[in-house]
Amino acid sequence: MNPRITAAVTRRVLIQLRRDRRTSVMLLVLPCVIMALLWWMFQDRPGFGFAALAPALLALIPFIIMFLVTSVTTLRERTSGTLERLLAMPMGKGDFLVGYAIAFGLVAAVQSALAVGLSVWFLDLQVAGPVWMLMLVAVVDAILGSALGLFVSAFARTEFQAVQFMPALVVPQILLCGLFIARADLPPVLHTISDALPLSYAVDAMRKVAGEANPAVWGDLALVAAFAVAGLVLGALTLRRQSE
Amino acid sequence: MVKSGVEVSGLRVVRGGQEVLRDLTFSVVPGEVTGLLGPSGCGKTTLMRAIVGVQRITAGAVTVFGEPAGAAALRPRIGYVTQAPSVYDDLTVAENLSFFASVLGVGQDRVDACVRVVDLAAERGKVASRLSGGQRSRVSLAVALLGEPALIVLDEPTVGLDPVLRRDLWETFHALADEGAAVFVSSHVMDEATRCDRLLLMREGRIIADDTPAGLLEKTGADDIETAFLDLVEQAAS
């Protein structure tokens, strides 16, 4: 790997995003709109609906969005011939993957800062732990989404197929992550499955930050990060310099 | 000592159960423009990919500057232009070139020089998706020239270009060869054959002629390369 090449990939991805105004605006504004909608739903209801769901949603949104954006972008790179061109140049696979991960991680940082800021300072979300930790967890979730998106893009030939991986890989994780039923209350088999899914730990980490003054989230975060690294390594295996 | 460029010997490629390249042996010499001519579907692209090192080969050997094709040490020394332009449609001409220049580790001066070579100075700031097809393939060509490659592999680079520009590009290819590069160009347009120093005629995965344009005409007694190609095909059939 070479820092100059990694930085070139990151810069290029960011220039491409900036040129696509509609996508950039949606990346930054949509998470805020969803948080506001969630807050509004529970406006006239007693209890802690918003406070209970908001942390989980702050973990889910960057994961889902980055999964979609990355799988489509890298698929485009595979089909347009630019990936083959890059791999015929002196570029390491790590440069390509880490360059992408940094670019989308930066976007995710801005995206989460806006969504977390809005929730905490305008929608009155009570956070017991430090607010910066919410953002950190969100960024790691986004990188996890990017890593999985990179990996699955290898198994799709068209953008239609790439988007179908969302119900296949993402929706089951949303169902089992503890958003609808606490993970401990799931049937034992499903509980075990949820223990093996990265999003479960992402949501656990968010809940701890929101609920505890001194949240012990490093274990959860390390697990999410490990899944992200595994996704990147598997993604690297799918970048082949030679084809049949 | 003859400085070897590309050496191909006994090359076979089987894709999806079909034999695409059948026992090819030839070489591409530095300082010359070698043309690869044949109808579309005859295996030209597969052969070029094998030389660049992105096509897995079934049998035989391909060496480039003495190293097996695809070796990491060769990557900075080969410029490859695919048939479909591989550039980023949402970046400008200058942004595309600057990105690939930083991947290759060459300076901005190379970007400026290559933009001039392909005659796109006026389009520098335009986003690639707004360029015409011919202009986009020239961006792709400029990218391949950035690293001052010692081997330049061009897959049908002149398709759809205006005749004046086509002539200029052929002059560029010869200028690059004069500087010592090995230039390997494919085309399915037979009238481009006379612009090459050496010709490989290809049909159904085989090389049916390997000669200079003049030598080929002399040997077959034909008036032009297209007739020579037909003669060779008929000879092989009878």
Side-chain angles (χ1 to χ4, degrees), chain B residues 121-142:
Chain B
E123 281 78 23
R124 276 187 75 106
K126 272 197 195 156
V127 175
S129 59
R130 308 227 161 169
L131 299 175
S132 71
Q135 287 171 327
R136 278 170 68 226
S137 39
R138 273 143 69 200
V139 181
S140 197
L141 171 63

Short mmCIF file of all heavy atoms in Angstrom, two decimals, chain B residues 121-142:
data_model
loop_
_atom_site.label_atom_id
_atom_site.label_comp_id
_atom_site.label_asym_id
_atom_site.label_seq_id
_atom_site.Cartn_x
_atom_site.Cartn_y
_atom_site.Cartn_z
N ALA B 121 -6.83 20.03 -25.30
CA ALA B 121 -6.54 21.18 -24.43
C ALA B 121 -7.78 22.04 -24.22
O ALA B 121 -8.02 22.54 -23.11
CB ALA B 121 -5.40 21.99 -25.03
N ALA B 122 -8.61 22.19 -25.26
CA ALA B 122 -9.79 23.05 -25.13
C ALA B 122 -10.87 22.42 -24.26
O ALA B 122 -11.76 23.10 -23.75
CB ALA B 122 -10.34 23.36 -26.51
N GLU B 123 -10.79 21.08 -24.08
CA GLU B 123 -11.84 20.37 -23.31
C GLU B 123 -11.42 20.03 -21.89
O GLU B 123 -12.15 19.33 -21.18
CB GLU B 123 -12.24 19.08 -24.04
CG GLU B 123 -13.18 19.27 -25.22
CD GLU B 123 -12.47 19.77 -26.46
OE1 GLU B 123 -11.24 19.55 -26.56
OE2 GLU B 123 -13.13 20.40 -27.30
N ARG B 124 -10.24 20.47 -21.49
CA ARG B 124 -9.70 20.13 -20.16
C ARG B 124 -10.71 20.17 -19.02
O ARG B 124 -10.73 19.30 -18.16
CB ARG B 124 -8.60 21.14 -19.79
CG ARG B 124 -7.26 20.86 -20.34
CD ARG B 124 -6.31 21.86 -19.72
NE ARG B 124 -6.02 21.50 -18.34
CZ ARG B 124 -4.88 20.99 -17.95
NH1 ARG B 124 -3.91 20.80 -18.82
NH2 ARG B 124 -4.70 20.68 -16.68
N GLY B 125 -11.51 21.25 -19.01
CA GLY B 125 -12.40 21.46 -17.87
C GLY B 125 -13.77 20.83 -18.05
O GLY B 125 -14.66 21.01 -17.21
N LYS B 126 -13.97 20.09 -19.15
CA LYS B 126 -15.29 19.50 -19.39
C LYS B 126 -15.42 18.14 -18.71
O LYS B 126 -14.48 17.34 -18.72
CB LYS B 126 -15.51 19.32 -20.89
CG LYS B 126 -16.10 20.53 -21.56
CD LYS B 126 -16.67 20.12 -22.91
CE LYS B 126 -16.95 21.35 -23.77
NZ LYS B 126 -16.95 21.03 -25.20
N VAL B 127 -16.61 17.87 -18.18
CA VAL B 127 -16.89 16.57 -17.57
C VAL B 127 -16.96 15.53 -18.69
O VAL B 127 -17.54 15.77 -19.75
CB VAL B 127 -18.22 16.65 -16.80
CG1 VAL B 127 -18.61 15.29 -16.26
CG2 VAL B 127 -18.11 17.66 -15.68
N ALA B 128 -16.36 14.36 -18.44
CA ALA B 128 -16.22 13.35 -19.49
C ALA B 128 -17.55 12.94 -20.11
O ALA B 128 -17.63 12.66 -21.31
CB ALA B 128 -15.48 12.13 -18.96
N SER B 129 -18.63 12.90 -19.31
CA SER B 129 -19.91 12.44 -19.85
C SER B 129 -20.45 13.41 -20.91
O SER B 129 -21.32 13.05 -21.68
CB SER B 129 -20.93 12.28 -18.72
OG SER B 129 -21.11 13.51 -18.06
N ARG B 130 -19.94 14.66 -20.92
CA ARG B 130 -20.43 15.62 -21.92
C ARG B 130 -19.60 15.61 -23.19
O ARG B 130 -19.88 16.38 -24.11
CB ARG B 130 -20.37 17.04 -21.34
CG ARG B 130 -21.06 17.12 -20.01
CD ARG B 130 -21.96 18.28 -19.95
NE ARG B 130 -22.90 18.08 -18.88
CZ ARG B 130 -23.70 19.00 -18.44
NH1 ARG B 130 -23.68 20.18 -18.99
NH2 ARG B 130 -24.54 18.75 -17.46
N LEU B 131 -18.57 14.78 -23.23
CA LEU B 131 -17.72 14.74 -24.42
C LEU B 131 -18.33 13.79 -25.45
O LEU B 131 -19.15 12.93 -25.12
CB LEU B 131 -16.32 14.23 -24.05
CG LEU B 131 -15.53 15.07 -23.05
CD1 LEU B 131 -14.23 14.37 -22.71
CD2 LEU B 131 -15.25 16.46 -23.60
N SER B 132 -17.91 13.93 -26.70
CA SER B 132 -18.36 12.99 -27.73
C SER B 132 -17.63 11.66 -27.52
O SER B 132 -16.63 11.60 -26.79
CB SER B 132 -18.03 13.55 -29.11
OG SER B 132 -16.64 13.49 -29.32
N GLY B 133 -18.12 10.62 -28.18
CA GLY B 133 -17.50 9.30 -28.04
C GLY B 133 -16.02 9.32 -28.39
O GLY B 133 -15.19 8.76 -27.69
N GLY B 134 -15.70 10.01 -29.49
CA GLY B 134 -14.31 10.08 -29.92
C GLY B 134 -13.44 10.81 -28.91
O GLY B 134 -12.30 10.40 -28.63
N GLN B 135 -13.99 11.89 -28.34
CA GLN B 135 -13.22 12.63 -27.34
C GLN B 135 -12.97 11.80 -26.10
O GLN B 135 -11.89 11.81 -25.52
CB GLN B 135 -13.97 13.92 -26.96
CG GLN B 135 -13.93 14.97 -28.06
CD GLN B 135 -14.85 16.14 -27.77
OE1 GLN B 135 -15.91 15.99 -27.15
NE2 GLN B 135 -14.47 17.32 -28.22
N ARG B 136 -14.01 11.02 -25.70
CA ARG B 136 -13.83 10.19 -24.51
C ARG B 136 -12.76 9.12 -24.74
O ARG B 136 -11.97 8.83 -23.86
CB ARG B 136 -15.15 9.55 -24.08
CG ARG B 136 -15.98 10.53 -23.27
CD ARG B 136 -17.37 10.04 -23.02
NE ARG B 136 -17.43 8.89 -22.14
CZ ARG B 136 -18.16 7.81 -22.39
NH1 ARG B 136 -18.87 7.72 -23.49
NH2 ARG B 136 -18.18 6.83 -21.54
N SER B 137 -12.74 8.55 -25.96
CA SER B 137 -11.69 7.54 -26.16
C SER B 137 -10.31 8.20 -26.19
O SER B 137 -9.32 7.56 -25.84
CB SER B 137 -11.95 6.67 -27.39
OG SER B 137 -12.47 7.39 -28.43
N ARG B 138 -10.25 9.49 -26.56
CA ARG B 138 -8.95 10.16 -26.51
C ARG B 138 -8.52 10.43 -25.07
O ARG B 138 -7.33 10.40 -24.76
CB ARG B 138 -9.00 11.46 -27.31
CG ARG B 138 -8.68 11.24 -28.77
CD ARG B 138 -9.51 12.10 -29.66
NE ARG B 138 -9.17 13.51 -29.56
CZ ARG B 138 -9.98 14.51 -29.93
NH1 ARG B 138 -11.16 14.24 -30.40
NH2 ARG B 138 -9.59 15.75 -29.81
N VAL B 139 -9.48 10.68 -24.18
CA VAL B 139 -9.12 10.83 -22.77
C VAL B 139 -8.51 9.52 -22.28
O VAL B 139 -7.47 9.48 -21.61
CB VAL B 139 -10.35 11.18 -21.89
CG1 VAL B 139 -9.94 11.34 -20.44
CG2 VAL B 139 -11.04 12.44 -22.39
N SER B 140 -9.17 8.41 -22.68
CA SER B 140 -8.70 7.10 -22.27
C SER B 140 -7.29 6.85 -22.81
O SER B 140 -6.42 6.30 -22.11
CB SER B 140 -9.68 6.05 -22.81
OG SER B 140 -9.52 4.83 -22.17
N LEU B 141 -7.05 7.28 -24.04
CA LEU B 141 -5.71 7.14 -24.63
C LEU B 141 -4.69 7.98 -23.86
O LEU B 141 -3.59 7.51 -23.56
CB LEU B 141 -5.76 7.56 -26.11
CG LEU B 141 -4.43 7.68 -26.85
CD1 LEU B 141 -3.75 6.33 -26.91
CD2 LEU B 141 -4.65 8.21 -28.27
N ALA B 142 -5.09 9.22 -23.53
CA ALA B 142 -4.17 10.10 -22.79
C ALA B 142 -3.76 9.46 -21.47
O ALA B 142 -2.60 9.52 -21.06
CB ALA B 142 -4.83 11.45 -22.55
#
